[in-house]
Amino acid sequence: MVIDVVDAAPNYDVVVAGNGALGLSLGLVLARRGLRVAVVGRADRPYAASAAAGAMNGCFGEVTPHLLRSEHGRLKLAMDYQATGRWDAWEQGLLEESDETAIRTANGTVVILNTVGVHEIDTEGFRAIRAALDEYKEPYEDLDPAEVPWLHPAPTARPLHAMFIPGEHAVDAPALLRALSAAFTRNGGTLVDDLVGEVLLVGGRAVGVRLTSGTTLSAGHVALATGAATTKLLDCLPEDVRHRIPAIVAGRGVALMVRTTDGVVPESVIRTPNRAFACGLHVVPRRDGLIYLGATNEVESQLGTTAAIGELNLLLSGTSQMHDDLVNAWVERIMVGNRPVPLDGFPLLGSVGVEGLWLMTGTYRDGLHQSPLLAADMAARILGEPHDSELDVFTPVRPPIEAMTREESLEMAVRHTLGSGYEHEWRLPDDWPPMIEKHFRAAFGRTLEQVDPEFVPPPEMFIFADESIHAALRTYYEAHRGASGR
């Protein structure tokens, strides 16, 4: 929206929209530099990704075969690795500037390979994790699955292999958000319990925001770290610019906070490789006899606010893969969060081509883990200082990033959809799975062709029957068709 404002000094040097891990981290880095910073977001963070996160410090545990095959996937892995190296100092600084006594939890991560999934996903994912660890010369240890502490699966879900990654821990997300908020305000930052409704432009530059309450905050810079709610805030941009930015949709995730029957929790994260377009089945220890059991992933055009029965069934059936006594445990909370997923699957970092307006979002499952790294880089960009030029590839106004061929994307769609059936413990006649696979391949192939005959979206964008997402893809692709030579 373009408005007329009185020419006056701004209230703030920077307004950060979004009070999740990314927004608060950016606000803190800037406040530590002495800038006047406001971070805007509702204190209760309804359905935000950070508030519902299992918050694994996942770097290598998140590796998939497809990640290692593409240039952009390998850059994402490099970002995760750099972020891992920052967490010790980042946590120490937060502990010194808040009342928290611990932020990271879990003593490393155990990755298990069992027979519940399918070879092309679980076995190949397990191998890809090991290959990445070897490439980066990171330590890991093979374990006898029968001797992994706390792990006690049902006989039909016994792991075939297990490995321990000592350098991958987890974050207590509520403690992190409390610590970030406290550290930010103690460094002079201002928390605003509201939502940004509009970005305000004057003369082709961002000058502030209007809140949903009607209040206006003026600023020299506006940074949007608003996750899955970001795209609607870009209506302030000219149409030809807005359509060349991949829209962000919601990766709705459901997880359970569970109290174990005996109060005993694992010391480490226990997880499978990534499955079904999500971060695999995982148990993350929390305090006071609680575990985090997650997580599902359904890509939708609108923010998800509730859990589907099928998602709860998937999580509950997954308990047999971790500990057969979890069937008697108590579900204390059902958590729903919305991961920010750009149409091409990669983050939006940097200027949108309008002076003073920045995006720091679209990080899918990586935002909380990468927050120390991205906050420092984005602060440098806003301040006009040297920054990591390798991340320029994720500039928001960009042609679609295509990390797979059409055949690879279609095959991944089929395999992960079939894999979710085995996770649901389906029981079918032996000749049915091949027929179902044939149906999926034909149906997904038709949808892929209808979305676009040339550009290649990630499989999450076409397996879910959300016509709003398909329409957004067509708009985005059309905006780049001439420039791409297609």
Side-chain angles (χ1 to χ4, degrees):
M1 177 179 181
V2 180
I3 63 166
D4 293 322
V5 297
V6 176
D7 185 15
N11 300 122
Y12 299 99
D13 297 310
V14 182
V15 167
V16 180
N19 64 343
L22 280 175
L24 282 170
S25 296
L26 175 58
L28 176 57
V29 171
L30 293 169
R32 283 173 174 170
R33 297 285 300 271
L35 276 71
R36 297 168 300 156
V37 186
V39 171
V40 182
R42 276 178 51 178
D44 58 349
R45 300 182 179 88
Y47 315 114
S50 295
M56 295 177 287
N57 275 142
C59 174
F60 297 102
E62 290 285 301
V63 168
T64 66
H66 284 289
L67 186 81
L68 299 180
R69 292 174 191 156
S70 76
E71 174 187 353
H72 295 93
R74 296 185 69 84
L75 176 55
K76 190 190 84 66
L77 174 59
M79 293 165 63
D80 284 338
Y81 184 72
Q82 292 177 50
T84 298
R86 291 174 178 256
W87 264 98
D88 284 345
W90 185 247
E91 180 189 32
Q92 185 58 41
L94 291 175
L95 294 177
E96 292 171 358
E97 296 178 338
S98 73
D99 297 323
E100 301 300 317
T101 58
I103 294 172
R104 285 196 293 176
T105 64
N107 176 28
T109 292
V110 175
V111 183
I112 59 172
L113 171 61
N114 60 30
T115 59
V116 175
V118 298
H119 172 86
E120 295 87 350
I121 299 172
D122 289 70
T123 302
E124 293 304 318
F126 195 83
R127 290 173 178 170
I129 292 169
R130 295 173 71 94
L133 286 161
D134 288 336
E135 179 180 342
Y136 278 80
K137 297 181 172 56
E138 282 294 302
Y140 64 95
E141 175 187 356
D142 288 319
L143 302 177
D144 181 344
E147 297 180 1
V148 174
W150 191 84
L151 183 67
H152 196 272
T156 54
R158 290 174 296 166
L160 305 172
H161 301 284
M163 65 175 141
F164 178 62
I165 307 175
E168 300 210 342
H169 311 296
V171 174
D172 184 335
L176 173 66
L177 295 173
R178 289 194 303 268
L180 284 168
S181 298
F184 175 63
T185 56
R186 291 177 188 182
N187 279 277
T190 301
L191 290 174
V192 180
D193 186 3
D194 206 332
L195 294 175
V196 170
E198 296 175 279
V199 176
L200 306 178
L201 303 183
V202 171
R205 68 156 292 132
V207 297
V209 298
R210 178 171 291 123
L211 309 183
T212 55
S213 63
T215 301
T216 297
L217 304 179
S218 63
H221 296 269
V222 174
L224 301 183
T226 38
T230 299
T231 296
K232 64 181 180 181
L233 295 177
L234 300 181
D235 287 345
C236 63
L237 299 176
E239 185 176 283
D240 63 324
V241 175
R242 186 172 73 249
H243 288 172
R244 289 187 288 127
I245 299 172
I248 296 178
V249 297
R252 180 170 54 85
V254 176
L256 304 176
M257 194 64 70
V258 176
R259 184 173 300 280
T260 61
T261 55
D262 56 6
V264 177
V265 302
E267 292 187 0
S268 306
V269 172
I270 303 177
R271 64 166 298 164
T272 69
N274 282 6
R275 292 171 169 171
F277 314 109
C279 39
L281 178 67
H282 52 274
V283 166
V284 182
R286 292 282 177 90
R287 300 185 179 99
D288 304 321
L290 293 173
I291 60 170
Y292 177 101
L293 177 66
T296 65
N297 186 39
E298 298 279 335
V299 175
E300 301 172 334
S301 56
Q302 303 297 320
L303 295 182
T305 59
T306 55
I309 290 176
E311 293 170 307
L312 297 178
N313 284 340
L314 178 60
L315 291 173
L316 294 174
S317 66
T319 60
S320 64
Q321 299 178 51
M322 292 295 178
H323 201 296
D324 53 9
D325 194 40
L326 283 179
V327 69
N328 297 312
W330 295 275
V331 175
E332 297 222 339
R333 185 182 172 197
I334 299 173
M335 296 178 294
V336 180
N338 293 273
R339 307 174 184 93
V341 191
L343 292 178
D344 63 3
F346 288 91
L348 307 178
L349 307 172
S351 171
V352 299
V354 171
E355 188 177 355
L357 182 57
W358 308 84
L359 290 190
M360 182 188 182
T361 186
T363 47
Y364 208 166
R365 294 187 296 266
D366 303 302
L368 190 146
H369 174 65
Q370 292 181 354
S371 55
L373 171 73
L374 295 184
D377 183 79
M378 185 58 61
R381 291 171 186 266
I382 290 172
L383 296 174
E385 297 175 350
H387 56 269
D388 187 350
S389 60
E390 286 195 351
L391 302 187
D392 291 349
V393 69
F394 299 131
T395 184
V397 184
R398 66 175 185 236
I401 295 174
E402 298 172 283
M404 304 180 196
T405 65
R406 293 180 74 84
E407 292 75 18
E408 289 171 337
S409 186
L410 178 58
E411 184 65 21
M412 187 174 177
V414 172
R415 288 298 159 203
H416 279 260
T417 305
L418 287 171
S420 67
Y422 291 103
E423 282 192 82
H424 276 283
E425 299 180 347
W426 65 5
R427 296 290 184 265
L428 299 171
D430 291 342
D431 58 341
W432 281 31
M435 292 190 294
I436 294 172
E437 177 180 343
K438 183 178 180 180
H439 167 76
F440 282 153
R441 182 166 280 105
F444 292 159
R446 287 193 298 271
T447 303
L448 179 59
E449 191 68 18
Q450 289 166 4
V451 168
D452 195 271
E454 297 173 317
F455 285 103
V456 185
E460 298 98 313
M461 296 302 162
F462 63 86
I463 68 163
F464 297 108
D466 191 323
E467 180 53 36
S468 295
I469 293 179
H470 300 168
L473 281 166
R474 286 189 282 267
T475 297
Y476 178 48
Y477 292 155
E478 196 59 36
H480 287 281
R481 193 172 307 280
S484 68
R486 301 187 187 189

